Amino acid sequence: IVNGKGNPESKLVWIVQLAILPIMGTLFYLFVQGQKVPMLVNKELKRLRRDKASYIEQQPEVVREIEELDTQKSNFIRYMNKYADTPVFTNTDVTYYPTGESCWTAIMEELERAEKYIFIEYFIIDEGEMWDSILGVLRRKAAQGVEIRVMYDGMGCLTRLRHDYPKKLAAMGIKCRVFNPFRPFLSTIQNNRDHRKILVIDGKTAFTGGVNLSDEYVNITHPYGYWKDTAVRLKGEAAFSFAVMFLELWQISSKQREDDYDKYRPEDGGVKCGGYVMPFGDSPFDGELVGETVYMDILSKARKYVHITTPYLIIDHEMITTLGSAAKSGVDVKIIVPHKADHWYAHAVAKAYYAELIGRGVELYEYMPGFIHSKSFVSDGDTAVVGSINMDYRSLYLHFECAAWMYKSDAVGDIEKDFQECLGKCRPITLESCKVRGIKKVVYAILRLFAPLM
């Protein structure tokens, strides 16, 4: 454990378990860490990434343009090109949706425009008003000859969809795959979920963000008060990147090779507009913490402000240090977290970090109307990220994730405007309000110790 690669705090958890329960701890460690399936998956992913490089290449002139604007940004782009196989694009229009409801409306409009194919990949799909409306369009489009593929996570939909749901969709002419079906005690790859949110139409339009395809995300139901979520729509060159991301995991899930991605490439070019967009994915098996690196890059290079929304704040020492260093250097670092929790234990662990972050100069706020599920970073009026990546160990270390990085896009201003409006519905968290004593302090300490497993 000590000599192996990985997060030091995760190592500490394993060492504590082994010290307390040597036999059970050893068996559990071997079960989780001694698995072979992720190695096989990673081998296949590496092959797919090599294929990907031939389908979406970085245009050198785009990097040169960014270098003229900001050398640090171009250095970051080169890292993403080399280690995340992720190009940055221009000629892509970005629309920001500050609510799940507005995103749903846009999705319905774009689905109606589909001519060749629709790819849908979500952590959660749940039968209800939202999904039924989408499924109605999919069924009609499939009958018209549009290729429809749907993929959802086996754990995310475990209690939401029947195990034979793919057969139901197949009867409608819709191809369906369950990513990593839940099989208790048979494989620990079940710990690595597909947490991504991707919808691609004809390679010309793509959606990503925090919004799953379920009624609570668009406030038809209200399990935790008002559900605040966000998403972005890409139109233009960058949209095809999400199609390639989808096809990668589809092949992993279906164990069938895709011969030619080019047939899904749109024939026409991008949308003529300013700004730069970089869709990116994160895999738990590639040895690169892409999501965390993107977030830390924004924090370390910010000059004026970094404004963050996240439903879960369960972070490692490195992220705490980076947040604190930015705040201590004079950068305005604000984080909005939920007032109401969807998972009590995640909320309790997050509270264990509040005092330390505030002590380092980070400002924390609770979203009072209900639950905030959006995952966004916005900085200095020119840079932003919107996607599926939470600020917790699962998103940063264990899950398949995705997001869109934006620079000099008009949508960046919309994201900051929404943050300020959201801030008006929050209350500040103070050192006094998050102070804990007695048994509660002990509980928080234990929860924080085991945070890497949550």
Side-chain angles (χ1 to χ4, degrees):
I1 294 172
V2 171
N3 291 333
K5 296 179 181 180
N7 180 275
E9 294 176 37
S10 297
K11 293 181 181 183
L12 179 61
V13 175
W14 287 116
I15 290 169
V16 169
Q17 285 190 99
L18 289 168
I20 296 172
L21 299 168
I23 297 174
M24 291 301 297
T26 299
L27 292 173
F28 185 54
Y29 175 79
L30 292 173
F31 175 66
V32 173
Q33 301 294 98
Q35 54 188 312
K36 297 296 182 184
V37 175
M39 297 178 189
L40 298 175
V41 171
N42 191 33
K43 184 178 179 180
E44 180 66 6
L45 282 171
K46 285 181 179 178
R47 182 193 69 79
L48 292 170
R49 291 179 100 176
R50 287 194 297 270
D51 292 347
K52 174 183 177 181
S54 64
Y55 289 109
I56 48 171
E57 298 179 352
Q58 178 62 71
Q59 299 301 314
E61 60 270 21
V62 176
V63 180
R64 286 195 293 268
E65 287 176 16
I66 295 175
E67 189 169 23
E68 291 176 3
L69 295 167
D70 189 328
T71 304
Q72 289 186 324
K73 286 287 192 297
S74 64
N75 290 338
F76 167 68
I77 297 302
R78 290 187 181 94
Y79 162 81
M80 294 295 285
N81 287 172
K82 185 174 181 179
Y83 295 102
D85 300 306
T86 301
V88 63
F89 300 88
T90 186
N91 297 328
T92 302
D93 179 66
V94 184
T95 303
Y96 174 71
Y97 298 102
T99 65
E101 297 92 306
S102 58
C103 176
W104 180 22
T105 300
I107 285 174
M108 295 300 293
E109 292 173 353
E110 295 295 344
L111 288 174
E112 292 289 356
R113 298 188 178 103
E115 297 176 351
K116 295 183 178 180
Y117 68 88
I118 298 169
F119 294 160
I120 293 177
E121 176 187 343
Y122 281 80
F123 179 61
I124 291 174
I125 294 176
D126 195 8
E127 293 180 296
E129 188 175 334
M130 183 188 193
W131 175 241
D132 287 350
S133 67
I134 292 171
L135 186 57
V137 179
L138 298 181
R139 187 172 189 171
R140 179 159 40 83
K141 287 292 181 178
Q144 295 170 3
V146 175
E147 180 182 353
I148 315 289
R149 301 194 194 188
V150 174
M151 182 164 59
Y152 57 84
D153 185 78
M155 183 72 80
C157 298
L158 181 63
T159 60
R160 297 172 182 262
L161 297 177
R162 293 168 55 93
H163 73 279
D164 60 349
Y165 197 72
K167 293 181 180 179
K168 177 180 178 179
L169 294 187
M172 302 178 189
I174 299 170
K175 298 177 183 178
C176 181
R177 295 287 182 270
V178 180
F179 182 83
N180 194 4
F182 179 70
R183 298 185 181 96
F185 308 117
L186 293 181
S187 171
T188 56
I189 193 177
Q190 64 194 9
N191 207 33
N192 306 115
R193 311 313 314 179
D194 179 7
H195 193 247
R196 308 193 310 190
K197 288 87 178 167
I198 295 174
L199 193 154
V200 186
I201 300 164
D202 295 341
K204 301 176 181 179
T205 303
F207 290 85
T208 192
V211 183
N212 281 300
L213 306 184
S214 179
D215 285 355
E216 66 265 33
Y217 292 84
V218 293
N219 288 289
I220 294 171
T221 58
H222 301 272
Y224 311 105
Y226 183 79
W227 189 289
K228 165 66 175 172
D229 223 323
T230 59
V232 288
R233 181 191 67 190
L234 313 184
K235 274 183 172 286
E237 290 181 358
F240 182 62
S241 270
F242 277 112
V244 174
M245 277 189 231
F246 173 89
L247 289 168
E248 285 179 336
L249 276 202
W250 179 273
Q251 291 179 80
I252 293 294
S253 183
S254 65
K255 297 180 175 61
Q256 295 178 347
R257 291 199 174 190
E258 201 76 40
D259 295 329
D260 185 13
Y261 289 10
D262 273 333
K263 63 185 177 183
Y264 297 107
R265 188 190 301 276
E267 294 176 1
D268 52 352
V271 178
K272 296 296 181 183
C273 61
Y276 304 90
V277 185
M278 179 172 57
F280 65 92
D282 197 359
S283 162
F285 304 139
D286 60 5
E288 288 293 326
L289 302 176
V290 177
E292 188 172 46
T293 298
V294 171
Y295 285 169
M296 285 188 171
D297 183 79
I298 292 174
L299 285 163
S300 62
K301 294 174 182 173
R303 297 180 299 275
K304 297 177 182 178
Y305 70 83
V306 180
H307 293 158
I308 302 165
T309 62
T310 182
Y312 312 114
L313 191 62
I314 305 173
I315 48 181
D316 60 17
H317 179 74
E318 196 171 0
M319 180 62 79
I320 292 171
T321 301
T322 306
L323 286 163
S325 296
K328 288 176 179 178
S329 67
V331 175
D332 175 34
V333 181
K334 289 184 172 70
I335 305 176
I336 297 178
V337 294
H339 172 63
K340 296 184 179 180
D342 64 336
H343 302 298
W344 69 267
Y345 52 87
H347 198 55
V349 177
K351 287 183 176 181
Y353 293 89
Y354 288 178
E356 182 174 359
L357 287 170
I358 293 169
R360 292 172 182 253
V362 178
E363 297 180 33
L364 298 176
Y365 296 85
E366 284 187 328
Y367 180 71
M368 298 307 293
F371 184 68
I372 188 163
H373 189 255
S374 63
K375 310 98 167 43
S376 65
F377 269 56
V378 58
S379 176
D380 293 348
D382 60 13
T383 306
V385 174
V386 174
S388 68
I389 310 170
N390 296 316
M391 291 185 73
D392 66 358
Y393 283 88
R394 291 204 157 273
S395 274
L396 298 176
Y397 290 92
L398 297 176
H399 289 169
F400 291 91
E401 301 282 359
C402 68
W405 177 90
M406 294 154 270
Y407 177 56
K408 297 290 185 181
S409 168
D410 291 341
V412 175
D414 296 332
I415 297 167
E416 172 60 15
K417 180 182 176 183
D418 183 46
F419 182 90
Q420 293 299 331
E421 290 178 358
C422 197
L423 197 63
K425 301 173 184 176
C426 296
R427 73 177 180 191
I429 301 171
T430 64
L431 277 175
E432 187 61 33
S433 67
C434 65
K435 191 177 291 184
V436 293
R437 299 177 179 85
I439 189 65
K440 202 172 187 180
K441 191 172 184 178
V442 176
V443 171
Y444 276 17
I446 294 171
L447 287 172
R448 182 163 171 174
L449 174 64
F450 287 94
L453 297 183
M454 295 186 181

